[in-house]
Amino acid sequence: MAAATGEAPVDDGAPPLGVLYSFGTPWADFNQGLSYTDTFRCDDAGAGTTLIEFYATNYKSSAPLPGWINRIHNGQITVDAEVVTDPNLILRDGSKLVYHRLPWQEPFAPYLLEVLYEDDDMVALNKPSGLQVLPKGLFQQRTVLAQLQLRDWKMTSSCHSRRKDVQSHPVPVHRLGRGTSGLLLCAKTKVAKVRLASYFAEGATNAANKRDKLEFGEERKISKFYRALVTGILDNDEVVVTQPIGLVHYPGVAEGLYAACSSDDPLYGIGGHPKFVEPETTVPDSSFAYDGGYERPSQPVPGDCGYHLHAHWLVLCHPTTNKMVKITAPLPPILHTREEHHAEQVGD
């Protein structure tokens, strides 16, 4: 299936080989903040519970006790649509609580996205390293999803007959880590979203049982291939990883980490364990940032960049035509082999 032609690239030069066009809107300096809503129930917390007891008990991973007191005094919490500044207010059963997180300047993130493939059902993007796919943590505005929402996606004539199925904007059907670059599939229709997501779910479920039995593209609805930068010498060009994944305590990450195989990124060390396993002692537990939350840990945390992993290419069964489609994301220069680097120089 041929990819649809796209609009002109954002700059005056030709787009990289394999790229149809690029799009993206520069980020605003500050995001819009966030609101978190709760309904207080006496059966869950007990009669006589105060406002500060509710937040300091239920959301201790968000801020220490002094931080929640600071947020309440700052007028960031409403109870039944009224601002409350008294931490010792007794809550009534059924009260609606809203914590208003102040707008903040999110860390640097690239905003331009390259389109590698596009038709009426899906679009394949080349995600740059440093850009998060979905909102979480510090990144609520600077995400792939936000750029997809900001762009005006014009429907082709064939889409008008399926208007009820077409979404207002494409949505990612899987994730890539913030530091990982490369291919990201997004669905334009509800049917494509369901089918593409099911391909990934089936692949994860059947990978352990069928890995040694399947040839390239056989039975699988989708196969994805990565290019990574590693150190040392690999004795074998194919390795089956069977090490279990388990939850490991990690300072600065309330829910812990899921540790698996070893790698050369800033978070995990040899053996698959986080490099930092002891709590930091240089910062007291009571410290908090301007908004009352914890200061960012000085050690690496999930999502940090610094490793080189690229979702290079994939083949998939098209969600509506059932034809096999192959899509390739151009490699960053640092992940070129000597042969590829030489071929590029000769081509220039």
Side-chain angles (χ1 to χ4, degrees), residues 113-152:
L113 289 163
E114 296 174 340
V115 174
L116 306 170
Y117 176 96
E118 184 177 10
D119 60 25
D120 292 344
D121 298 283
M122 63 181 187
V123 57
L125 305 175
N126 187 16
K127 185 189 83 69
S129 174
L131 180 60
Q132 193 158 294
V133 175
L134 299 177
K136 189 175 181 182
L138 290 175
F139 294 92
Q140 296 293 324
Q141 173 199 58
R142 301 184 178 190
T143 65
V144 172
L145 180 62
Q147 289 296 347
L148 292 171
Q149 293 170 334
L150 288 170
R151 185 172 185 272
D152 181 19

Side-chain angles (χ1 to χ4, degrees), residues 228-246:
L229 181 66
V230 300
T231 59
I233 298 175
L234 297 177
D235 295 328
N236 301 307
D237 61 0
E238 183 174 335
V239 178
V240 177
V241 179
T242 59
Q243 182 173 340
I245 297 175

Side-chain angles (χ1 to χ4, degrees), residues 192-205:
K193 177 183 177 182
V194 170
R195 291 180 180 171
L196 290 173
S198 70
Y199 292 172
F200 284 99
E202 291 170 5
T205 301

